[in-house]
Amino acid sequence: MCGIIGAVAVRDVVPILIEGLKRLEYRGYDSSGLATINGEQLERKRAVGKISKLEAKLKKKSLSSKIGIAHTRWATHGKANQANAHPHFSKDNIAVVHNGIIENHSKLRETLEKAGYEFSSDTDTEVIAHQIHYHLKQGKNLYAAFLASLAMIEGTYAIAMISPLMPDSLFAARRGSPLIVGIGVGEYFLASDAAALISVTQRVIYLEDGDIVELQRDNMTITDMAGNPVERIEHISKLQADAVERGEYRHYMQKEIFEQPQAIIDTLEGRIHNGRVLEAAFGPNAGELFSKIEAVQIIACGTSYHAGMVARYWIESLAKLPCTVEIASEFRYRKPLPNPKALVVTLSQSGETADTLAALAETKRLGFGPSLAICNVPESSLVRASDLVLMTHAGPEIGVASTKAFTTQLLSLLMLTVVLARRRGMTAETENQIVTAIQSLPRQIEKMLTLNDSIEKLAEQFADKHNALFLGRGIHYPIAMEGALKLKEISYIHAEAYPAGELKHGPLALVDDKMPVIAVAPNDDLQEKLKSNLQEVNARGGQLFVFANHSSMKQGFDYINVIETGEVDEIISPIIYTIPLQLLSYHVALIKGTDVDQPRNLAKAVTVE
Ligand code: M6R
């Protein structure tokens, strides 16, 4: 998704802007650009593709300035080309960068065109620049023109603006897209993501929706849309520079897969005591809120949605609470019947997914019960909008394909299940058994990671494939879905997941000797049933790749690869079986030579609808 970085300082800000853009690369983008003020002139460089292309342009003709804004663009309105890359100018005295979507941009554009403005891009952003200029022409000062333009915009935005009319001020505004001020010594920064500021400051202010900020070298003013001053608290960002470095690993995704044992340890820290999950880990008033709930409504997108689907099996079977799981983009428009006794659980790595935020807002509007966010980014919009919070301490996840965020979400959901189940009569003995299994997770994940080399070899058999089918049953069906999502996301192989019992109702028609069928087959109550489903594949010549506890699965099959996992405790087996599927998609993508960390067309945090 788009990223913003801005700076006003006593030193040259161009290297800071470039460094910030590089740190935003993981969000996904297709072009980038920056604008600075030189004397009374705006200057700009833009390039399609990687930041290195922008750097190459800067090498040819360098820019230097004490104020500037920069942007990585992920196309929404208009193609990924240089004309559409930000910053956008109006009449060479307004430069803006923008994240979000201006819903009424066509109408605004029409009016501005009638007023004589010529557009040089297809973007919704350019209307903002011209709109500000238009208000200037009506006699307003720059701040007033900025405010008047924001008032006309329908939709979401994080906007930064500079102008030679006030060459020492950087203006910005936030509504629905994250924006952070970084505080330096005699300098200020602006970014859409704390990661972009890591090399310049840890002191940050998270702007709220409706905030307008003016940054000067030695001064910051934050107001609301009516121009009234507002106070915002300063935080110390916990992001460490080395946490977002790749180190010895070839890709962030690989690093993040191998970091999972530590991510689990960090997520467990302080949450378990004397064999019990601490209810207070969910917030000081968790006990009071949990005591009133009679149902659970989970809402999330993508991988986070798959985590929610796993949790439904745990919550219904152990906590005996009805649990519904829904994709946020569907939920928000479905007109669901409100249940004031339902705990709304939102799951999100980024905490900035627009659909999840909107769905949460919808539950509040409709009158659902209290909300709990399970999230990986502290101070994110989702965290701030929720009554209760459980942070997954996975550390920054840079690879677009979610890995450690997923397994730590699962762990968090299992801890939630235990807390809810205890209130509904789960015995201390059962809780103790689950906690023991939970505590064995880092060791068991380490063991799964030793499958890396054999999975690397296995991946060779997928290199020429165009399709793949993933099968699972019960709680492992969502794990099959997650495996399919990982494979399609980074290797571009079309992959579908089915509950294995559903094969004969249609998908079996796809199976022939060219179709790899990957099955998640742990030693549980459904293993025998799954085996019969796999026989249906075998009989049609399908190539089976089965993740199972034991190689005895092989018996009775013609073409089968069994990847032995060893015995796994049933309650944590969805978490454990995720690991080999992540490794499989990673190695297939390596062989196919795709951009593993930034797969085409995708963004890390989907901050637009
Ligand atoms: O940040 P979130 O967890 O809210 O993101 C939701 C999805 O966009 C995300 O999980 C996406 O599906 C991943 N790229 C999958 O690997």
Side-chain angles (χ1 to χ4, degrees):
M1 250 346 66
C2 304
I4 290 177
I5 167 98
V8 48
V10 274
R11 50 181 164 156
D12 181 13
V13 297
V14 173
I16 298 172
L17 299 180
I18 292 290
E19 172 70 21
L21 289 180
K22 285 183 181 164
R23 292 189 183 275
L24 290 171
E25 279 192 294
Y26 78 95
R27 293 164 68 102
Y29 68 106
D30 39 52
S31 55
S32 61
L34 60 82
T36 54
I37 300 173
N38 192 355
E40 292 187 355
Q41 274 210 317
L42 279 174
E43 292 188 315
R44 163 171 75 175
K45 286 273 178 276
R46 297 181 290 175
V48 177
K50 297 279 172 192
I51 308 292
S52 54
K53 299 257 173 64
L54 183 67
E55 282 185 290
K57 286 195 169 177
L58 285 166
K59 268 197 189 119
K60 277 192 200 148
K61 189 179 177 304
S62 71
L63 296 185
S64 165
S65 177
K66 305 215 160 72
I67 186 165
I69 51 176
H71 191 260
T72 48
R73 174 172 187 257
W74 185 81
T76 53
H77 290 84
K79 287 201 175 103
N81 57 27
Q82 181 166 311
N84 288 335
H86 301 208
H88 289 287
F89 284 4
S90 181
K91 311 276 183 196
D92 283 340
N93 68 11
I94 301 292
V96 293
V97 292
H98 159 233
N99 291 354
I101 292 180
I102 310 297
E103 282 167 7
N104 58 339
H105 76 104
S106 309
K107 223 169 101 201
L108 295 175
R109 189 180 179 118
E110 219 179 285
T111 318
L112 286 161
E113 276 170 344
K114 279 189 193 139
Y117 285 90
E118 277 177 30
F119 280 75
S120 58
S121 78
D122 306 318
T123 65
D124 51 348
T125 303
E126 198 180 347
V127 297
I128 307 171
H130 293 316
Q131 197 67 60
I132 298 169
H133 186 273
Y134 173 82
H135 286 295
L136 278 174
K137 257 192 7 196
Q138 309 304 305
K140 291 192 163 60
N141 65 30
L142 193 56
Y143 173 75
F146 189 49
L147 277 192
S149 305
L150 296 177
M152 298 181 73
I153 290 173
E154 287 165 21
T156 57
Y157 53 74
I159 300 173
M161 173 195 68
I162 53 171
S163 165
L165 299 175
M166 287 180 74
D168 300 321
S169 292
L170 193 168
F171 291 91
R174 174 201 158 135
R175 186 166 80 199
S177 271
L179 205 52
I180 299 164
V181 172
I183 306 165
V185 180
E187 50 193 16
Y188 280 98
F189 310 96
L190 185 81
S192 50
D193 183 326
L197 300 178
I198 236 168
S199 55
V200 282
T201 186
Q202 282 186 291
R203 296 172 59 201
V204 294
I205 286 175
Y206 297 94
L207 296 176
E208 307 256 333
D209 277 351
D211 285 357
I212 319 288
V213 64
E214 180 182 355
L215 300 175
Q216 293 167 322
R217 278 193 285 279
D218 47 9
N219 190 39
M220 168 181 60
T221 316
I222 308 179
T223 63
D224 63 16
M225 294 283 286
N228 305 308
V230 290
E231 291 284 328
R232 297 285 172 243
I233 300 163
E234 182 183 322
H235 297 263
I236 299 298
S237 164
K238 293 198 181 70
L239 269 186
Q240 303 282 330
D242 61 353
V244 286
E245 305 296 347
R246 250 191 300 122
E248 75 211 61
Y249 293 95
R250 203 163 151 193
H251 295 100
Y252 283 110
M253 182 187 182
Q254 184 190 27
K255 177 179 180 241
E256 288 154 8
I257 290 174
F258 280 85
E259 275 174 349
Q260 287 176 106
Q262 190 57 47
I264 296 282
I265 292 171
D266 293 344
T267 304
L268 277 176
E269 200 188 304
R271 271 114 187 227
I272 286 184
H273 186 62
N274 282 341
R276 307 193 74 187
V277 180
L278 302 178
E279 197 168 60
F282 294 85
N285 54 344
E288 189 208 325
L289 297 178
F290 286 164
S291 70
K292 294 182 188 135
I293 63 148
E294 288 174 10
V296 177
Q297 171 68 62
I298 300 179
I299 303 170
C301 301
T303 288
S304 298
Y305 168 69
H306 296 155
M309 284 186 70
V310 171
R312 186 177 60 156
Y313 290 86
W314 285 329
I315 291 171
E316 294 209 336
S317 65
L318 294 167
K320 314 281 182 219
L321 282 164
C323 175
T324 327
V325 190
E326 197 157 344
I327 289 176
S329 54
E330 289 298 315
F331 181 92
R332 62 185 288 194
Y333 294 115
R334 189 170 60 83
K335 303 190 175 55
L337 293 177
N339 179 353
K341 299 238 156 124
L343 173 72
V344 175
V345 180
T346 53
L347 305 171
S348 176
Q349 188 288 127
S350 60
E352 301 295 349
T353 301
D355 286 321
T356 308
L357 288 168
L360 173 62
E362 185 64 1
T363 63
K364 290 187 183 173
R365 198 184 65 79
L366 291 170
F368 274 78
S371 56
L372 163 68
I374 294 182
C375 186
N376 198 39
V377 179
E379 301 293 330
S380 57
S381 306
L382 193 69
V383 165
R384 282 180 284 127
S386 303
D387 302 315
L388 300 171
V389 174
L390 187 75
M391 296 308 302
T392 48
H393 292 148
E397 191 181 67
I398 307 293
V400 164
S402 191
T403 51
K404 59 179 181 171
F406 179 65
T407 45
T408 53
Q409 280 172 348
L410 289 177
L411 167 63
S412 306
L413 287 160
L414 186 51
M415 291 196 282
L416 173 67
T417 305
V418 169
V419 164
L420 297 177
R422 192 198 298 143
R423 290 194 157 270
R424 304 177 74 85
M426 177 192 266
T427 63
E429 196 193 341
T430 309
E431 175 166 1
N432 238 274
Q433 281 165 5
I434 298 176
V435 166
T436 307
I438 285 178
Q439 285 170 325
S440 75
L441 271 169
R443 189 169 27 87
Q444 301 229 35
I445 294 176
E446 289 285 5
K447 207 172 114 206
M448 286 302 113
L449 291 170
T450 64
L451 293 174
N452 182 56
D453 293 355
S454 45
I455 293 175
E456 185 176 4
K457 269 196 124 17
L458 194 78
E460 287 164 16
Q461 300 188 49
F462 285 78
D464 61 339
K465 299 288 186 285
H466 298 292
N467 301 290
L469 216 51
F470 282 71
L471 302 177
R473 289 200 71 139
I475 199 165
H476 295 96
Y477 164 50
I479 299 304
M481 293 174 80
E482 175 58 10
L485 177 62
K486 286 289 92 89
L487 189 71
K488 67 184 136 196
E489 189 176 22
I490 60 167
S491 74
Y492 315 151
I493 292 176
H494 170 239
E496 291 299 332
Y498 276 93
E502 189 65 9
L503 259 192
K504 53 189 173 297
H505 299 289
L508 203 53
L510 293 170
V511 174
D512 61 14
D513 59 1
K514 287 179 200 65
M515 175 65 92
V517 178
I518 300 108
V520 187
N523 183 18
D524 60 13
D525 291 353
L526 292 169
Q527 197 185 47
E528 282 310 312
K529 291 202 181 298
L530 180 73
K531 260 188 181 173
S532 343
N533 302 137
L534 299 186
Q535 282 296 353
E536 295 160 8
V537 173
N538 186 60
R540 274 103 193 148
Q543 304 179 350
L544 284 165
F545 298 84
V546 181
F547 293 88
N549 56 312
H550 201 264
S551 62
S552 63
M553 271 297 283
K554 274 190 184 150
Q555 284 157 21
F557 289 94
D558 301 320
Y559 187 100
I560 188 166
N561 291 273
V562 175
I563 304 89
E564 265 186 79
T565 58
E567 291 311 322
V568 175
D569 204 311
E570 201 174 324
I571 190 79
I572 54 167
S573 107
I575 307 178
I576 300 298
Y577 275 81
T578 299
I579 312 296
L581 296 181
Q582 294 171 343
L583 288 170
L584 180 67
S585 61
Y586 174 70
H587 286 296
V588 174
L590 271 194
I591 295 169
K592 296 204 74 180
T594 56
D595 191 343
V596 173
D597 285 331
Q598 290 165 30
R600 67 185 181 203
N601 307 337
L602 298 182
K604 182 64 185 161
V606 185
T607 51
V608 292
E609 187 177 354

